[in-house]
Amino acid sequence: MKSNAIEAPWERIGHFAVRALCVGVLAFLLLPIVAIVPLSFSSSSFLVYPVPDWSLRWYRELVESAEWIRAAQNSFIVAPAATLIATVLGTMAAVGLARVRFRGKDALLSVLIAPMIVPIVVVGVGTYLFFARFGLTDSYAGLILVHAALGTPFVLTTVSATLQGFDHNLVRASASLGAAPLETFRRVTLPLIAPGVISGALFAFATSFDEVVVTLFLAGPAQVTLPRQMFTGIRENITPVIAAVATLLIVFTTALMLALEWLRGRRATVAR
Amino acid sequence: MEAVADTMVDVRAALRRDARRRTATALLLVLPLALFLLLTFLVPIGALLWRAVDNPEIARAVPRTVAALARWDAESPAPDAAYAAFVADLLALREQTDAGMLARRLNTEVGGARSLVMNAWRAQPLPATGDAAAVRAQLIALDPRWEEPWIWQAIAKNGARLTPDYLLAAVDLKRTTDGSIVTMDADRSAFRRILARTFGIAAIVTAITLVLAYPLAWWLSTMAPRRANVLLIIVLVPFWTSILVRVAAWIVLLQSGGLVNQTLRGIGLIDEPLALLFNRTGVVIAMVHILLPFMVLPLYSVMKSIPREYVRAAVSLGSHPLAAFVRVYVPQTYAGVAAGGLLVFILAIGYYVTPALLGGPEDQMLSYSVAQYANVHLDWGMACALGSVLLAATLVLYAVYRRFARMEPALA
């Protein structure tokens, strides 16, 4: 808090203790993730410090492993497809819900947000039982559909948040100048809410990209994704290859996150 | 005058029409998402709930027997008609897999049923099929256990298409043959303990995240926004990092030769490495790490909007600063505490991956049992019943959350 001129010594100690605790908590959040990175560059096959010598052998092993390459390919098939579906459906719904009130809207929203809340194992078992009837287990399509469903609440909430600051007079102006609703959406609304749409899409992407439980139930051997492969790897025998994958994922998701922060900054400027 | 009134009516009607059209457009835009979630999310959950009470095997395989046992008191010897009906049912089962399914299903009810049923099926057709009493004698000659009531009790109890048994078993209850509900024997019951453990772990994790997040959120809320945003990124990095990456990181850190044990030994706090992995400690540490951002962010957003003047006023009126903090500031943050706490608790009770990879057998939560019954025991009825219990607990808490928090559980 703002330091007062007349601060008792114990107060200063108190503030110092709180600050030390906070720095500790931040370290607790960040250090574990940082700590695994150097081990991926170790020449040793044990995941322990100190690192005896530096080497890229685990990265070579990674790129030469058919399993891991396959898993990466699968992740980059499933996540973008799920993101596309989630973003289109979520954005449409958010735009639709933005300016209307009707009875049952709250209940409808609760249902649309529910994929965020329902335990993932319940979703896994349920979709397995239901999708088995249509041959959608052991298929990319089944996995993509469920991952998209899990991502939609993120798109809905981020786009809705962006639309709250949206000046609807712009739509009226566009309409009064003769633009069709779809053209207005494409040329007026969408460019203005784009940061919200993109951050929603990033959330949806991250949701699918990190999803392992539904994948455990729905995916066959051909659809093993990166998290699924990591799950097996960690469970059976954790090697520095896992550390190498982890490092690459940390770099990738940090880049995603920084992109999101940048977009958020831009959104703030637009709102002003 | 009349013309003006007419125009007003027209305007009102036009406004109403416009409002209706807007609502219709809105619903049209929501419809694709609603239909999509219906098919990929709601109906599958319905399938899970249905499977938790579904009991088709016996009703489908031996319908005549079920009918013949409908009036049986479940105590006296089974009626001759039931024996005749059972043999007729077995004759109608052409495929071995059908008989096998019946045998397996009855075996989950009572041990020994599988061999009993399969032997009877293989002995078909029996020489005499006309006289019920003769059929009975032949079946008993085949295996004297046919004279005992338990197999008939198992059939009679499961004759109905729907059963409450899986759901009852999920909370350690069972139906006796006379239909009353009793607690399961101590040696067979496990789920109440797992349920209590699930809530226990979630409660501990929620409490620890609150203790760690509260000061941090407060500190962030006192900073200039620009600086706070930089530190918030540190809070968000783990949130964005894959859960499996974080689990791998914690294994590396917490193993007996890991950094944590090395450090503690280096500063002389311990002589022997502490067991931090594959036990409760490891699970709680990793879950706190994963869920902490979900607590920090709601707290921060509430705290940021609290004006500083109230605490200053309390202090200037003679309150001790600490008392002012506890009695004036803290109550204003209850909304954030409730929102963050409920969110963390709701997410925690559904955890699967973290306990599965970092815990021992005694640290597994309800989700693990669901997966175990589905993938290992292939007992989908039990898996779905346990899933239903987990879902019910989550939805009740979610309803409370919606009422309390009045905001979406979004981090955006």
Side-chain angles (χ1 to χ4, degrees):
Chain A
M1 201 173 288
K2 312 280 172 293
S3 59
N4 275 325
I6 39 160
E7 202 174 344
W10 67 264
E11 248 177 278
R12 223 172 294 164
I13 294 169
H15 281 167
F16 179 77
V18 169
R19 223 162 287 179
L21 177 66
C22 292
V23 172
V25 173
L26 289 176
F28 167 74
L29 281 170
L30 201 56
L31 285 185
I33 297 168
V34 175
I36 197 170
V37 173
L39 293 174
S40 70
F41 297 103
S42 164
S43 62
S44 157
S45 7
F46 299 105
L47 283 162
V48 286
Y49 284 101
V51 174
D53 216 342
W54 304 104
S55 150
L56 286 174
R57 62 183 280 207
W58 305 113
Y59 288 89
R60 183 180 313 130
E61 197 164 303
L62 183 64
V63 296
E64 283 170 0
S65 153
E67 275 180 344
W68 282 105
I69 296 296
R70 183 81 197 247
Q73 284 171 345
N74 282 337
S75 275
F76 281 103
I77 292 170
V78 173
T83 304
L84 184 68
I85 298 173
T87 309
V88 171
L89 294 178
T91 304
M92 277 172 67
V95 169
L97 287 170
R99 281 179 60 252
V100 289
R101 278 156 188 269
F102 54 88
R103 200 190 283 249
K105 185 179 171 182
D106 244 29
L108 178 66
L109 271 177
S110 294
V111 174
L112 298 181
I113 300 294
M116 253 181 194
I117 292 299
V118 168
I120 192 72
V121 132
V122 169
V123 179
V125 172
T127 48
Y128 178 84
L129 287 173
F130 184 59
F131 282 15
R133 297 182 194 190
F134 308 101
L136 280 170
T137 54
D138 293 4
S139 76
Y140 286 102
L143 204 55
I144 289 169
L145 289 176
V146 182
H147 280 189
L150 294 175
T152 53
F154 293 99
V155 180
L156 183 66
T157 47
T158 45
V159 177
S160 295
T162 317
L163 280 166
Q164 271 177 0
F166 179 73
D167 183 355
H168 203 76
N169 286 324
L170 295 170
V171 171
R172 291 205 192 97
S174 169
S176 77
L177 290 170
L182 206 61
E183 196 186 359
T184 304
F185 176 77
R186 199 168 52 83
R187 296 182 52 183
V188 178
T189 313
L190 193 57
L192 284 171
I193 63 168
V197 175
I198 296 171
S199 41
L202 285 176
F203 270 110
F205 184 88
T207 304
S208 166
F209 202 68
D210 194 21
E211 204 294 314
V212 62
V213 180
V214 169
T215 314
L216 279 168
F217 281 97
L218 274 188
Q223 288 91 36
V224 168
T225 58
L226 277 177
R228 177 73 184 78
Q229 183 71 23
M230 281 191 86
F231 187 86
T232 316
I234 292 172
R235 180 164 251 188
E236 280 161 12
N237 181 24
I238 179 163
T239 65
V241 176
I242 301 272
V245 181
T247 303
L248 293 176
L249 286 178
I250 290 167
V251 171
F252 181 65
T253 48
T254 308
L256 278 188
M257 194 200 81
L258 292 177
L260 187 73
E261 285 302 311
W262 180 76
L263 279 172
R264 206 172 283 177
R266 243 182 63 127
R267 192 164 73 198
T269 339
V270 170
R272 236 178 276 141
Chain B
M1 207 53 189
E2 219 162 72
V4 173
D6 273 357
T7 336
M8 273 175 69
V9 170
D10 276 359
V11 168
R12 242 184 253 142
L15 278 175
R16 265 206 303 274
R17 242 191 342 265
D18 184 55
R20 266 205 304 275
R21 214 187 52 224
R22 259 178 28 208
T23 311
T25 317
L27 291 178
L28 212 62
L29 284 167
V30 181
L31 195 64
L33 177 61
L35 279 178
F36 182 75
L37 287 184
L38 185 72
L39 289 176
T40 58
F41 181 72
L42 293 174
V43 175
I45 289 176
L48 171 127
L49 295 173
W50 170 253
R51 196 73 180 73
V53 292
D54 193 22
N55 191 28
E57 296 92 348
I58 290 167
R60 202 176 286 158
V62 289
R64 299 177 190 84
T65 319
V66 171
L69 288 170
R71 300 236 173 125
W72 180 48
D73 63 4
E75 306 250 321
S76 53
D80 291 350
Y83 286 86
F86 185 70
V87 166
D89 280 330
L90 283 188
L91 271 173
L93 290 179
R94 303 232 175 270
E95 304 290 328
Q96 179 159 8
T97 49
D98 294 338
M101 199 178 284
L102 171 71
R104 208 165 45 240
R105 177 68 186 83
L106 281 170
N107 209 60
T108 62
E109 285 295 316
V110 276
R114 189 197 303 259
S115 60
L116 191 61
V117 171
M118 284 319 283
N119 286 338
W121 184 75
R122 283 194 206 98
Q124 301 301 324
L126 291 172
T129 45
D131 180 16
V135 173
R136 176 171 193 269
Q138 280 178 336
L139 214 49
I140 292 169
L142 199 66
D143 192 323
R145 285 182 294 173
W146 282 111
E147 201 168 7
E148 294 160 18
W150 52 267
I151 187 79
W152 303 106
Q153 287 166 350
I155 293 174
K157 190 175 148 202
N158 291 291
R161 190 71 174 67
L162 300 179
T163 176
D165 286 351
Y166 296 117
L167 286 171
L168 289 173
V171 286
D172 286 353
L173 295 172
K174 66 171 181 186
R175 260 187 323 154
T176 57
T177 42
D178 62 22
S180 57
I181 291 167
V182 296
T183 307
M184 220 172 261
D185 313 330
D187 58 319
R188 292 204 61 179
S189 65
F191 297 128
R192 276 188 206 171
R193 224 183 64 226
I194 294 173
L195 199 61
R197 182 194 297 157
T198 303
F199 282 106
I201 292 177
I204 291 170
V205 168
T206 308
I208 297 176
T209 49
L210 180 62
V211 168
L212 296 181
Y214 200 93
L216 180 61
W218 175 77
W219 190 45
L220 290 173
S221 75
T222 62
M223 281 179 190
R226 192 173 283 268
R227 244 187 100 201
N229 274 338
V230 172
L231 291 183
L232 268 177
I233 290 183
I234 299 182
V235 177
L236 283 171
V237 165
F239 168 74
W240 277 89
T241 310
S242 162
I243 287 189
L244 286 140
V245 169
R246 286 183 278 173
V247 166
W250 280 114
I251 290 180
V252 168
L253 283 177
L254 297 176
Q255 61 188 326
S256 59
L259 266 188
V260 172
N261 271 316
Q262 278 180 338
T263 312
L264 291 177
R265 270 158 97 172
I267 57 176
L269 271 177
I270 52 167
D271 296 325
E272 290 298 306
L274 296 175
L276 300 169
L277 214 52
F278 310 121
N279 58 25
R280 194 65 57 88
T281 318
V283 174
V284 170
I285 291 176
M287 282 179 73
V288 168
H289 185 245
I290 294 167
L291 290 167
L292 199 52
F294 293 90
M295 187 70 98
V296 173
L297 296 174
L299 281 176
Y300 172 69
S301 78
V302 167
M303 286 174 174
K304 219 171 45 171
S305 65
I306 295 176
R308 302 281 149 199
E309 285 75 19
Y310 296 118
V311 173
R312 285 203 200 121
V315 173
S316 79
L317 289 169
S319 166
H320 191 280
L322 199 64
F325 184 79
V326 171
R327 291 175 57 187
V328 178
Y329 186 78
V330 172
Q332 295 181 80
T333 63
Y334 283 163
V337 172
L342 276 165
L343 185 60
V344 169
F345 194 86
I346 288 172
L347 295 174
I349 59 171
Y351 260 48
Y352 170 70
V353 172
T354 321
L357 293 177
L358 291 173
E362 285 302 303
D363 309 305
Q364 299 308 325
M365 298 166 70
L366 202 50
S367 290
Y368 183 83
S369 305
V370 176
Q372 197 73 1
Y373 272 89
N375 295 332
V376 180
H377 305 308
L378 300 177
D379 185 347
W380 289 91
M382 203 60 235
C384 290
L386 291 167
S388 306
V389 171
L390 182 61
L391 179 68
T394 307
L395 291 183
V396 168
L397 289 164
Y398 181 45
V400 177
Y401 175 89
R402 291 283 297 189
R403 186 150 281 222
F404 246 109
R406 290 249 147 254
M407 55 168 126
E408 311 307 338
L411 288 161

